[in-house]
Amino acid sequence: MKTAFFSTQSYDRDYFSRFNTRHELVFFEAPLNEKTVSLANGCQAVCVFVNDQLNEAVISQLAALGIQLIAMRCAGYNNVNLAAAQLHNIKVVRVPAYSPYAVAEHAVALILTLNRKTHKAYNRVREGNFSLEKLTGFDLHGKTVGVIGTGKIGQVFCDIMKGFGCRVLAFDLIANKELQAKGIEYLPLVQLLPQCDIISLHCPLTEQTRHIINSDTLGLMKPGVMLVNTSRGALIDTRSVIHALKSGQLRYLGIDVYEQEEKLFFHNLSEEIIEDDDIMRLMSFPNVLITSHQGFFTDEALIEIAKTTLQNITDAEEGKTLVNKIV
Ligand code: NAI
């Protein structure tokens, strides 16, 4: 199937070319949106990522170009108007699980870095500054960690934090029995938030979870809490979080995702004027750590993403059951 790949970086081209044996793949650096959709002309499928815009207008233009398949090379699909895809009879497939370890381990990396300030220590030592002043951290052992969303990634994250000797509390629409058997307690959000020293978000972005972290929920948290978000930016109301950082209610923030990330993440903007004042304010805090959506970014995950996506495209071409179909 001739497939137009949007928002590609060198690693997408490398991994997909390595595992592709039968499809014609056309790689574009441009994101998919109303201005770029015509690049898919002549293709039967598009392959897209987390920040491509698949709204109604784009999907109807894809349909007009004869696109039959939208292959997401990611797990989340909050950026796709599924009703529009169904209306135009375009199938949408994804990679539901490629490495829950990659994302869960990155959340832990954010926690450890924020806590033990290894990023600051690294720079200090390189400059001959061997002082420990202001590098004090805290033992993770014995602390209470709240996990919002205990699906594939959240479950791995719970197991890792258990390994550190933390008490783990969880909030999800459905309790995971395996985790409960390991002593993880499910609580309503309002009961979980005041007890946690660290809160990590692992639920998808839906209408229910948009801004689940807002001024009200931040107000319920223990003063001095650490918040980590490796899921989707819009789970957090950024302005409320900035306010909580200024007041000290939130002592640490680690984010791999950001509400307005599509204009920033995955691009080298080091010589540009960044107009997004919220991210600039977040970057100015000494207790905020931002990575640009790299939670998924391990060799194992990239191999799995390429293989599963190519198999999804092959199955669609051969008219087989699409095991990873969303609609
Ligand atoms: P999953 O579908 O296995 O788990 C999601 C869990 O969230 C489920 O247990 C579900 O019941 C729960 N949930 C749904 N709505 C909820 C609500 N309103 N309140 C509380 N819990 C709710 O998904 P998985 O694979 O664990 O991924 C989680 C999220 O991680 C994805 O939706 C995606 O946004 C994000 N992600 C981030 C990546 C990164 O590179 N930073 C890479 C991959 C995924």
Side-chain angles (χ1 to χ4, degrees):
M1 224 177 207
K2 187 169 177 185
T3 307
F5 278 62
F6 287 87
S7 300
T8 61
Q9 303 284 342
S10 65
Y11 44 84
D12 296 305
R13 298 188 281 276
D14 290 350
Y15 280 82
F16 275 91
S17 302
R18 194 164 128 202
F19 293 102
N20 177 41
T21 51
R22 59 181 284 170
H23 302 289
E24 189 181 340
L25 312 183
V26 194
F27 295 106
F28 299 108
E29 280 179 33
L32 177 59
N33 55 41
E34 285 166 54
K35 290 188 194 131
T36 62
V37 61
S38 61
L39 291 170
N41 194 13
C43 295
Q44 292 84 50
V46 290
C47 182
V48 293
F49 198 47
V50 291
N51 292 327
D52 289 301
Q53 285 170 27
L54 291 116
N55 56 26
E56 201 181 352
V58 169
I59 289 179
S60 74
Q61 287 181 66
L62 287 173
L65 293 173
I67 295 295
Q68 300 151 28
L69 180 74
I70 295 169
M72 312 287 300
R73 51 179 193 278
C74 53
Y77 50 88
N78 51 283
N79 51 333
V80 188
N81 185 326
L82 297 177
Q86 260 179 322
L87 184 73
H88 290 286
N89 206 18
I90 299 180
K91 296 185 181 66
V92 185
V93 289
R94 65 175 179 141
V95 186
Y98 37 87
S99 171
Y101 309 104
V103 186
E105 289 170 13
H106 190 70
V108 179
L110 294 178
I111 292 171
L112 288 171
T113 308
L114 277 169
N115 175 15
R116 302 307 296 268
K117 305 175 179 68
T118 42
H119 55 319
K120 295 185 183 181
Y122 172 81
N123 284 325
R124 275 193 197 184
V125 169
R126 281 172 71 88
E127 289 178 8
N129 176 357
F130 299 96
S131 161
L132 297 184
E133 288 296 330
K134 307 280 181 199
L135 294 184
T136 323
F138 58 86
D139 284 6
L140 285 174
H141 186 269
K143 294 295 182 297
T144 301
V145 178
V147 185
I148 299 180
T150 53
K152 292 176 284 294
I153 296 169
Q155 176 164 4
V156 173
F157 178 79
C158 287
D159 285 338
I160 299 173
M161 297 320 288
K162 272 292 215 191
F164 276 106
C166 295
R167 173 181 174 233
V168 181
L169 302 177
F171 170 67
D172 198 306
L173 303 177
I174 311 149
N176 175 326
K177 292 199 170 56
E178 218 180 297
L179 289 175
Q180 282 177 315
K182 291 177 186 168
I184 285 156
E185 192 184 345
Y186 281 83
L187 290 174
L189 195 58
V190 290
Q191 286 179 29
L192 175 143
L193 295 175
Q195 299 190 47
C196 298
D197 302 291
I198 299 170
I199 294 167
S200 193
L201 308 181
H202 298 289
C203 59
L205 175 63
T206 64
E207 278 320 304
Q208 277 175 305
T209 61
R210 183 175 296 275
H211 290 186
I212 193 169
I213 304 300
N214 53 47
S215 54
D216 292 339
T217 48
L218 283 159
L220 291 173
M221 293 177 196
K222 213 182 204 182
V225 64
M226 179 189 290
L227 177 65
V228 173
N229 185 11
T230 56
S231 199
R232 283 293 179 267
L235 295 178
I236 286 181
D237 173 17
T238 308
R239 296 275 166 91
S240 300
V241 155
I242 290 173
H243 189 261
L245 283 161
K246 283 164 81 174
S247 73
Q249 170 73 357
L250 193 56
R251 191 173 300 156
Y252 311 88
L253 176 70
I255 53 172
D256 185 49
V257 286
Y258 170 65
E259 203 167 355
Q260 273 88 244
E261 70 176 49
E262 63 277 4
K263 294 205 184 96
L264 305 166
F265 286 9
F266 311 119
H267 305 294
N268 178 358
L269 303 179
S270 53
E271 297 301 319
E272 311 286 325
I273 304 298
I274 295 175
E275 288 183 17
D276 185 324
D277 291 340
D278 289 341
I279 194 103
M280 295 313 286
R281 184 68 182 100
L282 285 176
M283 283 158 60
S284 75
F285 289 102
N287 50 350
V288 172
L289 182 61
I290 305 172
T291 53
S292 55
H293 210 134
Q294 70 177 81
F296 74 101
F297 204 52
T298 65
D299 185 49
E300 289 83 353
L302 289 170
I303 290 173
E304 200 50 45
I305 289 170
K307 284 184 173 174
T308 306
T309 305
L310 290 166
Q311 189 59 49
N312 286 341
I313 298 170
T314 302
D315 288 348
E317 188 174 54
E318 293 181 346
K320 288 189 182 156
T321 307
L322 297 175
V323 287
N324 296 318
K325 189 170 145 182
I326 309 167
V327 292

